Structure formats: structure tokens, C-alpha cells
Amino acid sequence: ATDRQLPLSTTYITFMVAMGTSMADLAWGRESAVYRVSGVLKILGGFFITAVAAFVLTGILVLVIYGFGFPAIVLLIGITLAILVKSFLKHRKFLKSKKWEERLKKSESHNIKGVIDDSSGNVVMSLKRSLEIYALTVRGLSLNDSKELKAAQKLATELIRDIDKLREDTFFLIRGLEDSSVEVSRVYILILEYLQNISRSLSFISEKGLDHTQNNHKGLRFNQIKELKVLENKLSGFFKEIIEILESGKYEKISLLYEEETDLQEGVNQRIDYQVARTRAEDASPKNSMLFFSLLLETKELISTVFELIALYYKENQTAKEITEGDY
């Protein structure tokens, strides 16, 4: 191709060789073919779009330089340097603010105890990220700041994507297990299901807040913000206790969290009652009321899901312990 003076890109050639090779060895199945074809089209479309964009931008820059001469060159160089510096500072700030360096990891164990220990790290990271998403949402609603809410929604989307990646690997995990490891597969699938429900709840909460703010509806009132902040602090304490238990591996302490979960749920119910009373007594905004009800109800669902998840850990850990003691 080079000998015939065809314009080529290393990326493009590498991609097409990979696609052609996978077709030759029959890796193209009905389930994956549509993604492979769409990938090829995206690569091709990307080249054409890049070419048009480069052509237009270059033409504009040449016209500016032609019209204004040397001062235009100095100005354009200054703008370029400013963009580079800004990009560098933004990236450094992102790295500093990033609170998790690792992605969620799939389990490779063949017994319940191993699956529990392996997946506890995923749960810990998910809960830490959940706390940040919830805090960003509450702060964004308090300040009526769409930037905070966009950041929360972005983090929620990343969490969903990471959990979906684990779910995609479940098939290969099950295929690699022994015939006697059916229960291990069930526990792992349930853990991923709970994590997915947690991520969906957080996505719903952040999305509701962002939609409300972007549509310029009335912001939350002082009492509502105060109640959300109190709820966030209690939720944070609850999650941190769970994280401490999972990191220490002392799963038997999970039974001590039952009363705390009940208190949290009662606190949410109480705030729902408060909002009902406000809606009846005050000239409340319908959008404001519906947002607050949605946040509280989804928070209630989030708490239930998290507790069901750690209850599964407690139950399966007790089962694994009994089996071990029985073998002994």
C-alpha cells in the first residue's frame, strides 16, 4: 500500500488487521458481528470527520495569519500555550481528586469463602464511590450547582460501566468453575446484582437532581437541604461501618448493623412524613415536592439494597464457617 502511495494510518491498519484476522478464525459470531461492523464504521467515519475538521480549522488559521500577519502568529501561539497549560492543570487536578486508582476486579475463586473475600474489595470500592456520588448530589442541590450534579452523574455512569464489565465476565467465570461450584456462581451473581442495583439508585438520584437544576425549577428549601444533609451524614456513617467490617474480614459483626439500618429507614420515613405535611400546609412547588420525594424513596431503596448485600455476606460467611468446622 505504501508503494502505491495510498494514505494510511497505523491505527487504522492495526484495527482492520485485527478485524480481518478475527473473521478468518471464525471469531465473528451472531452475537458479536454487529459490534465489529459498527466498530469498523466508526473508525472510517472518524477518519472522514477528522479530515474535514482539520481542513476547516487549518483554512481559518491560514486566513487569520494572512490577514493580520506576525501579530496573529504570536496570538495563536499564546492561545495554544494557554490551552496546553490549562489542559495539564485540569488533568493534574483530576488525578489528585481521584479517590480510587483501581478498577473493580472479577473473582477467580472456586469456593464461597474465596468469592466473598475477592468480591468484598469490589463492594468496598463501590460504597466509597457511592458516598462521593451522594455527597456531590446533595451539595449540588444545596448550591443549585449543575456542575456538581454533572460530576455526580459522571461518577455514577462510571460505576455502572465497571459493574457491567464484571457482569460480562460472569459467563467465563461460570464456565471455568468445577461442576460442584454451582453455589459459588449463585453467590457471585447475587453480589453483582446488588452492586448493579446500588449503582442504578445512585444514577437515578444524581440524574433527578441534574434534570431539576438544568430545567431551572425552584431549588430545595432550607429545611429540605438540612434534612438531606443530616441523612447524608447518617448514611456516610453507616457505609463507613460496613467498609470497616469488610476490610477487616470480620463479617460476624454485620449482625450488629441491623438496628442501625432500621433507624436509617425510620429516619427516611420521618422525612417523607415531614414533606407530606409541608406539601399540605405550604404553597409548595409540585416539581420541588416530587424531587424531594424521589430522592427520599430512592435513598430508602439504596439503604435496603446495601443491607441485603451485606446480609448475604453474613449468611454465606456463616455457611462457609459451618462447612469448614464440619469438615474439621
Side-chain angles (χ1 to χ4, degrees), residues 134 138 201-202 204-205 228 231-232 235 239 264-265 268 271 292-306:
Y134 200 90
V138 173
S201 291
L202 291 163
F204 177 86
I205 289 170
L228 272 182
L231 184 59
E232 179 207 333
L235 192 67
F239 278 21
L264 263 175
Q265 294 286 22
V268 176
R271 283 159 180 78
F292 201 65
F293 282 133
S294 296
L295 294 176
L296 292 176
L297 291 172
E298 200 61 38
T299 299
K300 187 176 175 66
E301 183 67 25
L302 173 65
I303 295 169
S304 296
T305 305
V306 171

